Amino acid sequence: MKSRTIGCAAAASAFAIVTAGCVTVGPAQRAQLAKPEMTPAGETAEETFHSHVEAAREGGFGGHGAAGGGCGCG
Amino acid sequence: MLAFVLWPATAAAEDRVTVRGNYYREVSTRVLQPTVDVTVDVPDERLTLGATYVLDAVTSASIATGTTEVTGGDNTFTEIRHETAAYAQSKLGQWGLGGFFRYSTETDYRSRSLGISGQRELLQRTVTLSLSYAYNFDRFDRIQANTGARLPWCGGSQDIASCSGSGVGLGTNLVQTHYVAAGYTHVLHKHVLGLLTAETAVVRGPQDNPYRGAQLLVTYETHPVRRTRFAVAPGVRWILPKANLVLEPRYRFYKDSWDISAHAPELRVHYRFAKHFRARARYRYYRQSAAFFWRDDGNFAEPTGLCSQDTVENCATADPKLDAWDSHTPGIQLVYELDGLATRNGLRWLDQGWISATYNHVFQSTRFGQARLGALAFSLAY
């Protein structure tokens, strides 16, 4: 039951984040988003290694990707 | 597999070579994993080709991995795995397409994987949607104790003498995985990037360890031959320019048909403390429930047929990762961007390059004990 509550809370938080972002940010405003620390695609090799380790040591999987790798600032 | 599928096209495509050395250490196992990745634009981001090579050297000194079973004694042995992958990515306007093939081989396991992915940018490139599919087909063998003979492994419920090394379905050593991922990235604010990934995998075939039966009162470990897995992972990257900080909360929820559910919240903090120096601290908590066939006492009866939800009496496992357990993982990473050196004569080739050092320490409550993960990497654009 506790797990289900946590799961529902996480899903609700994700939904709120997604639906709150309907404001379009112009290209000129995205300079900060182009920094390497804001770019998920720059961590591909590390995420692959963590995915490999977790597959061998944990019952779960996933969570090591991010769609498109981009902020639209490239 | 995931990386190729979920990152179909990077934001900054370029010719690049990245060399990385990964290190994993726990009480009974050590893994050294050098990797090299090369990408080439032909001639630009409209078509990017890449290739990756990974060497896995796994040294084990524990019955946990079946060492005694294979070597006939309590000896250390090293298993070598080679992995090669080729991939292509294309960016055409607001569309991105990608595909890959990967082959991996070790003494008793061969894995082939291929996949395709597509992505679409929307709303002035503030939203990216992606969809990926991958198919894995693996062949599983068992090295016989003392003789060293390699026989196909069809799972603990199947007679090893009649197991086939070819064909599809029960009675063969084929493990098939269909994997689908959907991703959503959204620029929520000029300083905030939101990410959401949902993944599912359907696995069919032997999924038990052919050597771990020695730890039980049964001949072989026996797991269900079907498993459906699902994971959803929201996250945010929030940059605070004046503080040179990026906050990155993440969360992953996982659930599967073996009744394992898992939660993995994580916080990463990136800090740029000089123009070309940045550091990242992370903390990850992981907690999971046990599989429906796990028994704390390990007192399983000899299976007489397939293991499933309806025939739990035919299941047997000694796999610690199927128990309920949790872990804490703090970690740190330092990155030096080589652009600073590239302004000097003769060092212009370092432009856009970087080097990094990473260390993570895993405090886990399974019998694997504490684990150390380290990595050194450098990357050069050319």
Side-chain angles (χ1 to χ4, degrees):
Chain A
M1 184 54 117
K2 192 178 176 185
S3 297
R4 183 172 293 180
T5 304
I6 294 171
C8 288
S13 302
F15 182 76
I17 289 167
V18 168
T19 54
C22 293
V23 177
T24 299
V25 179
Q29 298 176 292
R30 298 178 208 161
Q32 297 292 340
L33 301 178
K35 290 186 173 176
E37 52 268 49
M38 285 294 284
T39 309
E43 297 166 354
T44 305
E46 182 188 13
E47 297 290 350
T48 302
F49 178 55
H50 285 183
S51 179
H52 187 63
V53 170
E54 289 167 21
R57 287 293 178 258
E58 296 180 358
F61 94 129
H64 287 282
C71 54
C73 44
Chain B
M1 177 173 75
L2 305 185
F4 293 121
V5 173
L6 292 178
W7 281 291
T10 60
E14 60 196 342
D15 297 348
R16 179 171 287 274
V17 58
T18 303
V19 177
R20 185 177 172 92
N22 296 314
Y23 176 78
Y24 179 88
R25 181 87 169 106
E26 63 184 28
V27 174
S28 59
T29 304
R30 185 189 68 201
V31 181
L32 293 171
Q33 188 193 69
T35 73
V36 60
D37 179 82
V38 180
T39 59
V40 182
D41 288 346
V42 194
D44 53 34
E45 67 174 8
R46 284 174 295 179
L47 180 61
T48 302
L49 301 177
T52 301
Y53 172 75
V54 178
L55 174 71
D56 244 346
V58 183
T59 301
S60 181
S62 166
I63 195 170
T65 53
T67 308
T68 308
E69 186 83 2
V70 173
T71 62
D74 191 15
N75 301 318
T76 298
F77 84 107
T78 298
E79 178 85 24
I80 301 291
R81 182 178 72 92
H82 301 275
E83 177 184 311
T84 56
Y87 54 93
Q89 301 166 343
S90 179
K91 188 109 178 22
L92 298 169
Q94 293 170 330
W95 287 92
L97 296 170
F100 77 91
F101 177 77
R102 192 199 65 181
Y103 178 70
S104 168
T105 180
E106 57 193 291
T107 315
D108 53 4
Y109 207 92
R110 295 172 305 289
S111 174
R112 298 170 183 83
S113 180
L114 53 90
I116 55 171
S117 60
Q119 66 171 3
R120 173 83 161 104
E121 294 172 334
L122 302 165
L123 299 177
Q124 297 179 37
R125 302 178 69 199
T126 57
V127 169
T128 304
L129 298 175
S130 70
L131 188 64
S132 314
Y133 169 77
Y135 175 58
N136 240 63
F137 46 114
D138 305 350
R139 294 282 179 187
F140 208 163
D141 295 324
R142 182 183 196 279
I143 300 172
Q144 296 299 90
N146 301 324
T147 66
R150 200 176 66 184
L151 296 178
W153 170 257
C154 295
S157 65
Q158 305 290 308
D159 179 12
I160 196 165
S162 59
C163 175
S164 172
S166 60
V168 180
L170 271 180
T172 75
N173 66 343
L174 179 66
V175 184
Q176 299 179 86
T177 303
H178 296 277
Y179 170 86
V180 177
Y184 179 91
T185 307
H186 197 152
V187 178
L188 302 170
H189 177 269
K190 63 181 181 179
H191 294 155
V192 182
L193 187 64
L195 309 110
L196 180 67
T197 306
E199 300 160 81
T200 187
V202 179
V203 188
R204 299 285 180 268
Q207 294 167 64
D208 27 40
N209 186 311
Y211 309 109
R212 240 179 340 227
Q215 298 167 48
L216 302 167
L217 299 174
V218 299
T219 311
Y220 297 121
E221 187 175 65
T222 304
H223 291 172
V225 294
R226 292 169 177 264
R227 190 178 193 183
T228 303
R229 321 180 79 182
F230 174 75
V232 60
V236 167
R237 291 197 185 212
W238 177 21
I239 187 165
L240 305 169
K242 289 181 180 173
N244 291 322
L245 271 179
V246 171
L247 302 178
E248 185 191 355
R250 294 177 170 200
Y251 171 73
R252 188 200 71 192
F253 172 71
Y254 169 85
K255 179 84 178 164
D256 70 21
S257 61
W258 290 5
D259 285 354
I260 293 177
S261 59
H263 302 276
E266 178 174 343
L267 178 64
R268 298 184 178 199
V269 179
H270 308 250
Y271 177 57
R272 185 173 286 274
F273 55 91
K275 187 177 180 184
H276 299 293
F277 262 117
R278 57 191 156 94
R280 186 198 69 196
R282 76 183 278 250
Y283 169 74
R284 176 180 187 260
Y285 174 68
Y286 175 82
R287 180 170 66 90
Q288 71 168 65
S289 60
F292 70 87
F293 51 96
W294 174 264
R295 289 181 63 117
D296 286 334
D297 60 9
N299 190 19
F300 295 95
E302 189 70 43
T304 57
L306 285 175
C307 159
S308 71
Q309 289 269 11
D310 299 327
T311 54
V312 182
E313 67 277 9
N314 287 330
C315 305
T317 186
D319 188 348
K321 66 175 178 284
L322 300 184
D323 191 6
W325 63 281
D326 63 4
S327 69
H328 302 266
T329 307
I332 191 159
Q333 182 181 67
L334 296 172
V335 179
Y336 178 59
E337 297 162 354
L338 300 174
D339 305 43
L341 293 176
T343 55
R344 299 180 184 181
N345 282 341
L347 296 177
R348 191 163 294 176
W349 55 278
L350 293 175
D351 191 37
Q352 302 295 313
W354 52 262
I355 56 175
S356 75
T358 309
Y359 179 76
N360 292 280
H361 199 100
V362 188
F363 300 90
Q364 49 197 359
S365 62
T366 61
R367 64 176 159 83
F368 292 127
Q370 295 185 27
R372 301 167 183 84
L373 285 81
L376 292 172
F378 74 87
S379 183
L380 294 173
Y382 63 93

